[in-house]
Amino acid sequence: MTSLLSGIHWFKSGAPWIWLTGGAVSISLLSVMGLLLLIGWKGLSYFWPTPLYQWQTHDGDILVGQLYAQEYVPMTRLQGIDLPSTVDKESDDLVSRYSIKIANRELYPADFVSIIDVNIKEQSMPQGWAVIERTRHGDFFGKPVAYQNEFGVISSDVSELFAYGFSRVESLRDQISSVIETEFKGTSRALEQLRLDKRKRELNGSLSGSYLEKYNTQKKQLDKRLAVADAHLAELRILLNQDKLIVVDMTGQQTAIPLSQILDMWYPNDMASAEKVSQWGQQVWKFLSENPRESNSEGGVFPAIFGTVLLVIIMSVVVMPLGVIAAIYLHEYAANNALTRVIRVAVINLAGVPSIVYGVFGLGFFVYTLGGSIDSLLYAERLPAPTFGTPGLLWSALTLAVLTLPVVIVSTEEGLTRIPSSVRHGSLALGATQFETLWRIVLPMASPAIITGLILAVARAAGEVAPLMLVGVVKLASSLPVDAEFPFLHLDRKFMHLGFHIYDVGFQTTNIEAARPLVYATSFLLVTVIISLNLTAISIRNNLREKYRTLGQD
């Protein structure tokens, strides 16, 4: 009876609910950590130099590739597959089915093939086989056997000649990039500016004969410079395509791969552990620092990282002043009447509006209405080609600012509510005005809550994709929103985003199976970017909390 009464007392004390809550929180944290570890493992393991295997079947066929996946299937599911006569096809035994990545897209109809272990006669790891990373058609698996230089001479000394030729090709690539950036793009921009200036004079009615003569002279000079740049590029590209690497594939067929298409080459079966770690680090760095290729299924994601971070920064710069000012007005200045209560309810309800609705609003108001008006007033000479009347970085940032505005308002107003009235009264009693009290006393003390609103806004905005698809994000951006050309920050340009990149790679690429590991890698990267931005804001908030301890904990 005593134990029963103690049990009832323990139950009424609320201790079971504390343990239940603690257990639920622990399970949730472990689930989140497990999910992040799974995504990180599947994403980062994609860059590891996977060994190449060689399988020989009982029919004499040879397959060379990477083991992509392995599953166990019952024999009864393999009725339509040719199996050796010694195998009991009616058995319920499980057999292994291997999914093998054979690459070499231009030679074989598919990137992946399947094979059953009972069909395998021999498995080995061939030496001297290389994984060749190319600019197009994905990787190539083969054994380098010869090298053809720029004079057409073929030599079997592959290693030294390839190292020399690859460095030469890298130098030519740098020269081509320099010509494109300095000569070709600069001349093209000058031509476009000249055309716009002429168009502007036509609209203003100030087009004179002397200006036309000057215009024609300048245009001829620029056209000549452009022709010279084109000829220079053509010469460099001819030199770039001269050297070739001759490789044998798994069928014994020789293929000549121009060095201009080769980005990297390594021998996974011949590498030591330290070499594999070094190669893995190089591949991860390429993923973080290079531009995407092959419809985003190859290459890096640097433009998407840059676009995501820049979008969040611009959004934060816009939403913080608006949200803080709105919260200050509602809490400090506006009377507590029916109108303000309706406004508060509306702000709270806006936080639950689907994000795609904000995208439609941004497209209709910011892009077509506001952007179209800006084009008519300031960029009339560019019409009908829009400048700000088309989706871009600025409208995406403003749309996300509107989307996250309720979060900042609610968080800031809660922070203002926690400040004791005695603090305000003491400041006013010492002769400070209401604005001085607000600026010097209230806002600094409420700054941790304001930063909390920023953290919540960043966490939501960085992962939004649906509204961005309508107001500025693209599959592949030709240039970054920031460059050395005035005004340096181009808010009218479209941009790439990690969230949209995940959607595109996972559902829109031509070879989804081959690009699937990139979905994990980009997802892990997006989570890392969001955590980094939040940790930065949290560190600022913690410093402010230490400075203004009057409020205690938020």
Side-chain angles (χ1 to χ4, degrees):
M1 186 68 180
T2 304
S3 60
L4 179 62
L5 291 175
S6 61
I8 295 174
H9 177 72
W10 178 74
F11 187 81
K12 289 183 177 180
S13 66
W17 308 115
I18 296 175
W19 282 99
L20 182 62
T21 303
V25 172
S26 301
I27 293 174
S28 300
L29 289 176
L30 290 175
S31 301
V32 172
M33 292 300 297
L35 179 61
L36 291 179
L37 288 175
L38 175 64
I39 296 174
W41 171 258
K42 285 185 170 291
L44 296 178
S45 62
Y46 169 73
F47 305 105
W48 186 259
T50 308
L52 293 174
Y53 294 96
Q54 177 177 298
W55 293 270
Q56 183 176 356
T57 66
H58 292 285
D59 297 332
D61 297 330
I62 294 178
L63 293 175
V64 177
Q66 296 173 342
L67 181 59
Y68 184 75
Q70 179 182 358
E71 62 177 348
Y72 295 94
V73 295
M75 191 71 69
T76 54
R77 291 176 54 187
L78 307 175
Q79 298 297 327
I81 299 177
D82 293 333
L83 298 175
S85 58
T86 56
V87 177
D88 183 10
K89 299 182 179 180
E90 303 299 327
S91 172
D92 292 332
D93 295 340
L94 296 177
V95 296
S96 296
R97 179 164 62 186
Y98 302 109
S99 178
I100 302 169
K101 181 180 179 181
I102 57 176
N104 305 11
R105 294 176 187 170
E106 72 275 25
L107 301 180
Y108 311 135
D111 268 10
F112 298 88
V113 296
S114 296
I115 186 173
I116 309 300
D117 60 353
V118 296
N119 283 334
I120 298 175
K121 179 181 179 181
E122 183 181 358
Q123 177 179 334
S124 62
M125 294 177 61
Q127 302 299 309
W129 280 70
V131 177
I132 303 173
E133 184 182 3
R134 302 181 293 176
T135 57
R136 56 182 180 177
H137 302 310
D139 294 338
F140 191 98
F141 300 157
K143 185 175 183 179
V145 294
Y147 184 89
Q148 179 179 334
N149 62 16
E150 66 268 24
F151 305 108
V153 178
I154 298 178
S155 174
S156 59
D157 188 7
V158 176
S159 58
E160 291 187 6
L161 291 176
F162 177 80
Y164 168 76
F166 191 73
S167 62
R168 175 174 170 271
V169 167
E170 286 290 311
S171 176
L172 287 172
R173 284 199 186 107
D174 293 339
Q175 293 181 44
I176 290 175
S177 298
S178 177
V179 170
I180 292 175
E181 291 295 330
T182 59
E183 299 180 20
F184 190 81
K185 287 188 176 180
T187 306
S188 299
R189 285 195 295 265
L191 275 171
E192 178 65 12
Q193 190 60 40
L194 189 64
R195 183 190 70 82
L196 292 176
D197 185 57
K198 179 186 175 184
R199 171 67 175 165
K200 192 172 184 178
R201 288 176 177 268
E202 289 178 351
L203 295 176
N204 295 336
S206 59
L207 192 63
S208 61
S210 59
Y211 174 80
L212 286 176
E213 184 178 353
K214 180 182 177 181
Y215 167 82
N216 292 328
T217 302
Q218 291 181 352
K219 187 174 183 303
K220 288 180 181 178
Q221 293 175 352
L222 292 174
D223 287 338
K224 186 177 180 179
R225 285 171 52 186
L226 197 60
V228 171
D230 282 336
H232 193 188
L233 281 177
E235 292 176 1
L236 292 175
R237 284 168 177 160
I238 291 174
L239 295 174
L240 188 66
N241 292 316
Q242 288 179 341
D243 291 30
K244 297 179 181 179
L245 182 67
I246 300 175
V247 185
V248 175
D249 65 358
M250 64 184 184
T251 64
Q253 178 184 352
Q254 288 191 353
T255 302
I257 305 177
L259 258 66
S260 60
Q261 298 181 11
I262 299 178
L263 297 173
D264 197 1
M265 182 175 71
W266 61 92
Y267 298 85
N269 297 347
D270 303 331
M271 299 172 70
S273 298
E275 294 174 325
K276 289 185 177 181
V277 172
S278 175
Q279 181 65 32
W280 177 83
Q282 293 177 17
Q283 292 299 111
V284 171
W285 174 248
K286 287 181 181 179
F287 177 71
L288 297 175
S289 61
E290 292 186 353
N291 295 329
R293 307 187 307 271
E294 295 283 309
S295 297
N296 289 338
S297 62
E298 303 282 348
V301 293
F302 176 73
I305 299 173
F306 190 90
T308 303
V309 174
L310 182 61
L311 173 69
V312 170
I313 291 175
I314 297 175
M315 181 274 300
S316 302
V317 171
V318 173
V319 74
M320 287 304 294
L322 293 177
V324 171
I325 291 173
I328 289 174
Y329 175 76
L330 288 174
H331 190 271
E332 301 291 332
Y333 291 96
N336 187 16
N337 51 32
L339 179 60
T340 56
R341 289 194 290 270
V342 169
I343 292 175
R344 287 191 176 91
V345 172
V347 168
I348 295 173
N349 289 335
L350 282 176
V353 174
S355 59
I356 190 65
V357 176
Y358 287 101
V360 174
F361 168 78
L363 181 65
F365 178 73
F366 291 130
V367 178
Y368 293 149
T369 304
L370 192 58
S373 301
I374 292 174
D375 282 350
S376 299
L377 293 174
L378 304 178
Y379 300 97
E381 67 276 8
R382 296 177 181 265
L383 295 175
T387 302
F388 282 94
T390 184
L393 177 62
L394 176 61
W395 309 135
S396 298
L398 291 178
T399 301
L400 289 185
V402 174
L403 186 149
T404 57
L405 185 61
V407 177
V408 178
I409 293 176
V410 171
S411 178
T412 303
E413 194 168 4
E414 288 180 355
L416 294 172
T417 304
R418 292 174 185 171
I419 299 175
S421 300
S422 59
V423 174
R424 297 181 177 85
H425 296 162
S427 175
L428 295 173
L430 292 174
T433 63
Q434 184 177 6
F435 177 78
E436 289 174 338
T437 301
L438 182 67
W439 183 255
R440 297 180 179 274
I441 305 297
V442 176
L443 279 182
M445 295 179 66
S447 56
I450 296 174
I451 301 300
T452 300
L454 175 62
I455 294 170
L456 297 174
V458 168
R460 183 177 182 186
E464 287 292 348
V465 177
L468 299 181
M469 295 172 64
L470 298 175
V471 291
V473 74
V474 290
K475 175 187 179 72
L476 186 64
S478 57
S479 57
L480 294 175
V482 176
D483 56 23
E485 180 185 354
F486 184 82
F488 311 119
L489 177 60
H490 304 275
L491 297 176
D492 58 310
R493 290 183 182 175
K494 295 177 174 59
F495 65 100
M496 296 181 66
H497 189 273
L498 284 172
F500 184 76
H501 189 273
I502 294 170
Y503 164 76
D504 181 68
V505 173
F507 300 99
Q508 301 295 319
T509 55
T510 56
N511 197 336
I512 295 176
E513 187 66 30
R516 182 181 298 172
L518 283 178
V519 176
Y520 291 104
T522 310
S523 300
F524 183 72
L525 179 60
L526 177 58
V527 173
T528 304
V529 169
I530 295 175
I531 291 175
S532 300
L533 292 170
N534 285 343
L535 286 178
T536 303
I538 288 172
S539 64
I540 297 173
R541 183 183 64 182
N542 290 340
N543 292 333
L544 293 172
R545 277 178 174 173
E546 290 295 326
K547 188 175 180 180
Y548 305 104
R549 277 187 172 274
T550 305
L551 291 179
Q553 297 295 325
D554 288 336

